[in-house]
Amino acid sequence: MTTVRRAVLTLPAAPLGPDNPLPALRAPARAGAHAVDARTLAGLPRDIARGIGRAPLRSLLPVPLRDGYGRDRVPTDLDTIVIENDRLRATVLPGLGGRIHSLHHKPTGRELVHRNPVLQPAAFALNGAWFAGGVEWNIGATGHTALSCSPLHAATVRAPDGGPMLRLWEWERLRDLPFQVDLWLPEDSDFLYVGVRIRNPHERPAPVYWWSNTAVPEDRRILAPADAAWHHGYERGLDRVPVPVDGTGTDRTYPLNSGHAADWFYDLPDGRRRWIAALDADGTGLVQTSTDALRGRKLFVWGTGRGGRRWQEWLTEPGAPGYAEMQAGLARTQLEHLELPGEAEFSWLEAYGPLAADPAAALGDDWTAARTDVERALDAALPRTAVDAAYTAWRERAADAAPETVLAAGSGWGALEVLRGGYELPGTPFPESTLGPEQEPWRALLRTGVLPPPAKGAGPGAPLVSAPWRDMLETAPADPSTEYYLGIAQWHAGDRAQAVRSWERGLRGADASWPLLYCLAVADREEGHPERAAERFAEAFADHAASAGGGAVAAALGREAVTALLATGRTDRARQVWARLPEEVRGRGAFRLLEARILLAEGRPDAARAVFDEGFEVADLGEGAETLGELWARLTDAPLPDAYEFRMRPGP
């Protein structure tokens, strides 16, 4: 029989720490890593170019940046939900984006996915904290979801065959859309079924992005039914190349054949079955297949260069096996977004399970024979008709079924949106009982038309930015707090001039000026006024220091102020701000890096080099960031030490 039960998993984990308390007014830092230059864009097929240009994120609003984690790991108990039958055991982390941490095949004793032995957040999600391993569900915009390290709602539901099923659901706030992920194991099945639905309850169309991302050991061959792929590195290109052997004569379906990090989006022909597999030297491994709506398939590799090896170590622990990623998405490439009409939905079914192919064929040089043999093995293990039938049964008998036993709670944001919009969402309830302190001021605005100010001495709470909430803020009684939130909503809508006016009005009567000064500083920097931005960042830091002192706000404002002051040549002011930070903050890796930059700007390169020699780790170093290497090159001609080598592009 299939069972669904709670369990506890203990892993060495770095605590997530507090969210960044400053509103995330800027576009995701990772956006540059996935950009395409104008010349490349002009030469792409029209549908891909249109998808790449559809509704790029202008900011992370309303979600916060998650950068409060470090790298000190301690044994930590993590709540899990285990789905199990006689053949498979899937371990799910409902408090961490619903990630499948492990997929264990009992008859062979094999772990089918890369199971990370640690939980180490790193700056790869759209909003920061993300961790490697398992199977993750990415919704929102290009990149890893903002829900990577956030709790989802979880409950048992009746599966199409009458057995237990696990439902995960949440309200994705970047695109303002609810979604659900249903996982079940039919009795005696070697395959985990995953039904996914994204709904648009609004009248307006919405941009949609989805990629299911599976980490697998990198000593595998990654196969998919394609003769070509769109190759994307970290140099803003997107080129169509042959598969498996590219123009350099290298077989790129083996992750360890690549020197640098890169994506290959397999160009699957229309009408072909959708699948991707990772097979070892014995021809065994994991296969993922789906109904046709999940069109895209992708291979991501870290590469064998120093930067890729360092990232692998950074995301797990020294000596742990490396991994690659095989992914499946709604579009042909991860750079695209689809349009979901108002009051419509996307839904599909995925299946994950073991596969055994003939190694001589699957790993041989004849690519047609390799694909044919893998597809033959897949058809024998799970026919395409069975996947289509399972999808139909799920949609007709289970997708709208009411949850039975609640296993975990997500956020209260979905409940707030349902309360405001009166949406009917069968299968994914967002009851008022899930509303919490973050939502309470907004519920008051909804009921009374007045947004309560924060408690005296407390910083501002979480913003809301969608059009209905912006309309309510515009008609609410004006006070500094309301002007602050109204400006954020206007900024998100693209009305930057009006946002600045709102923040300036709020500043005139504010008891605490730093939230509004910070917003104005960002606006100055975005509008090309770096000197005025630096001054305002410094004013915001000083205002907070005079009233409250330390904490996460001091660290966030101090980092912004020092960075902006250095960028405009105000080294003395940067040093003054850095010196006023609490000693504990100055000891963090990100601030040790700032110290080295200050020392270099002061004309003290030897002292800056000494900071590197002493050693530091920037916990939230971003994907594709080359800051460490660039600063090192200004200090010395010596090779960059391995500890600081995170470059993902070819280079010296």
Side-chain angles (χ1 to χ4, degrees):
M1 291 180 60
T2 300
T3 60
V4 176
R5 57 183 171 85
R6 290 190 183 96
V8 174
L9 172 70
T10 302
L11 287 179
L16 285 170
D19 291 345
N20 191 305
L22 307 177
L25 300 174
R26 283 165 286 185
R30 299 178 72 251
H34 300 288
V36 175
D37 61 59
R39 178 177 297 180
T40 299
L41 192 64
L44 293 174
R46 185 172 299 178
D47 63 324
I48 293 181
R50 186 166 54 247
I52 291 174
R54 180 175 286 120
L57 290 180
R58 292 188 291 258
S59 75
L60 282 172
L61 295 168
V63 304
L65 186 65
R66 310 202 70 177
D67 60 359
Y69 52 87
R71 292 191 56 79
D72 294 327
R73 297 189 286 267
V74 296
T76 303
D77 290 341
L78 303 173
D79 291 331
T80 69
I81 300 172
V82 177
I83 314 165
E84 188 169 15
N85 67 4
D86 289 340
R87 311 288 296 177
L88 278 180
R89 180 172 61 247
T91 303
V92 178
L93 302 173
L96 294 165
R99 181 83 59 100
I100 297 177
H101 172 73
S102 168
L103 188 60
H104 178 78
H105 187 233
K106 294 180 179 182
T108 60
R110 287 176 176 266
E111 177 60 53
L112 299 181
V113 301
H114 169 73
R115 183 175 57 191
N116 198 334
V118 304
L119 176 59
Q120 177 56 62
F124 278 75
L126 287 163
N127 63 334
W130 172 86
F131 63 103
V135 185
E136 59 177 304
W137 319 113
N138 290 302
I139 182 173
T142 300
H144 296 283
T145 177
L147 293 165
S148 291
C149 291
S150 296
L152 303 189
H153 299 281
T156 57
V157 186
R158 288 295 102 189
D161 61 2
M165 178 171 74
L166 171 63
R167 173 162 299 155
L168 306 165
W169 73 100
E170 244 305 352
W171 198 283
E172 200 287 312
R173 301 180 67 210
L174 288 176
R175 300 304 193 183
D176 204 19
L177 302 174
F179 71 99
Q180 72 188 76
V181 180
D182 289 353
L183 303 97
W184 76 99
L185 280 168
E187 191 172 349
D188 297 326
S189 173
D190 279 312
F191 283 83
L192 175 70
Y193 288 171
V194 182
V196 184
R197 175 165 62 173
I198 304 170
R199 288 190 275 204
N200 180 6
H202 314 294
E203 294 181 354
R204 55 173 173 78
V208 168
Y209 168 95
W210 182 280
W211 282 79
S212 302
N213 179 8
T214 304
V216 294
E218 65 182 352
D219 59 344
R220 301 288 191 268
R221 189 181 204 186
I222 310 299
L223 301 100
D227 291 311
W230 294 94
H231 170 253
H232 180 260
Y234 284 78
E235 297 174 298
R236 296 177 177 265
L238 188 63
D239 305 305
R240 197 171 188 270
V241 298
V243 172
V245 179
D246 66 8
T248 68
T250 304
D251 188 337
R252 299 296 184 182
T253 61
Y254 290 92
L256 291 174
N257 282 352
S258 294
H260 300 280
D263 304 319
W264 280 271
F265 300 103
Y266 293 114
D267 198 359
L268 276 61
D270 291 339
R272 292 294 299 272
R273 185 175 185 182
R274 308 311 196 193
W275 59 266
I276 187 168
L279 303 182
D280 63 16
D282 296 328
T284 60
L286 172 71
V287 66
Q288 186 271 1
T289 187
S290 71
T291 49
D292 290 349
L294 202 65
R295 178 181 186 183
R297 293 298 185 275
K298 169 194 163 180
L299 165 64
F300 167 77
V301 302
W302 283 107
T304 58
R306 288 205 308 154
R309 293 300 93 191
R310 181 62 174 132
W311 274 118
Q312 292 264 29
E313 181 183 76
W314 186 257
L315 294 169
T316 176
E317 61 182 3
Y323 74 93
E325 294 172 357
M326 62 180 212
Q327 304 191 23
L330 284 173
R332 281 202 277 180
T333 75
Q334 250 179 352
L335 313 183
E336 303 166 70
H337 296 75
L338 303 184
E339 182 176 282
L340 179 57
E343 301 179 344
E345 63 182 51
F346 289 144
S347 64
W348 63 92
L349 185 126
E350 307 179 41
Y352 296 78
L355 192 73
D358 176 7
L363 307 181
D365 294 334
D366 186 333
W367 180 240
T368 299
R371 290 183 336 210
T372 300
D373 188 74
V374 171
E375 193 152 305
R376 174 200 56 77
L378 174 58
D379 287 342
L382 185 66
R384 184 176 187 176
T385 54
V387 174
D388 292 339
Y391 169 72
T392 299
W394 170 69
R395 287 295 286 116
E396 292 179 352
R397 300 201 294 269
D400 288 345
E404 296 177 355
T405 302
V406 174
L407 300 175
S411 77
W413 295 113
L416 186 67
E417 292 302 329
V418 169
L419 191 64
R420 182 199 59 76
Y423 302 122
E424 295 290 337
L425 300 169
T428 54
F430 294 95
E432 281 195 60
S433 60
T434 61
L435 293 169
E438 283 190 307
Q439 293 83 39
E440 195 54 45
W442 298 99
R443 179 160 64 167
L445 174 64
L446 186 62
R447 287 177 170 174
T448 68
V450 178
L451 184 68
K456 189 171 181 61
L464 286 176
V465 296
S466 67
W469 293 107
R470 186 174 71 249
D471 291 343
M472 281 184 268
L473 288 168
E474 287 176 344
T475 57
D479 60 32
S481 176
T482 303
E483 296 285 12
Y484 165 80
Y485 289 111
L486 175 58
I488 291 174
Q490 292 165 333
W491 180 270
H492 176 264
D495 193 350
R496 295 188 168 188
Q498 189 58 56
V500 168
R501 285 192 285 271
S502 295
W503 292 327
E504 288 175 340
R505 284 195 304 268
L507 193 60
R508 289 194 287 268
D511 293 330
S513 300
W514 65 263
L516 294 148
L517 286 169
Y518 166 76
C519 293
L520 290 167
V522 173
D524 284 333
R525 181 158 58 190
E526 295 292 299
E527 296 302 318
H529 305 291
E531 293 83 5
R532 192 165 67 201
E535 189 62 34
R536 277 178 160 160
F537 280 128
E539 287 181 27
F541 176 80
D543 179 73
H544 180 266
S547 60
V553 175
L557 287 175
R559 191 173 181 180
E560 293 277 10
V562 171
T563 302
L565 290 165
L566 286 175
T568 54
R570 303 182 189 187
T571 306
D572 291 345
R573 290 286 302 281
R575 168 66 71 181
Q576 292 167 10
V577 171
W578 188 86
R580 293 186 68 182
L581 287 165
E583 183 177 355
E584 180 274 328
V585 172
R586 294 200 305 268
R588 299 176 193 170
F591 292 86
R592 293 286 283 159
L593 176 61
L594 282 180
E595 181 185 14
R597 292 181 58 195
I598 293 171
L599 289 166
L600 180 60
E602 291 172 337
R604 303 164 62 191
D606 291 342
R609 168 68 186 269
V611 174
F612 277 84
D613 291 341
E614 291 170 12
F616 62 89
E617 292 183 321
V618 182
D620 63 335
L621 192 69
E623 177 185 4
E626 301 182 354
T627 307
L628 296 174
E630 291 170 352
L631 183 56
W632 177 264
R634 296 175 62 191
L635 299 175
T636 176
D637 292 330
L640 182 66
D642 287 344
Y644 303 117
E645 177 59 275
F646 291 93
R647 290 172 293 191
M648 299 174 74
R649 298 186 297 172

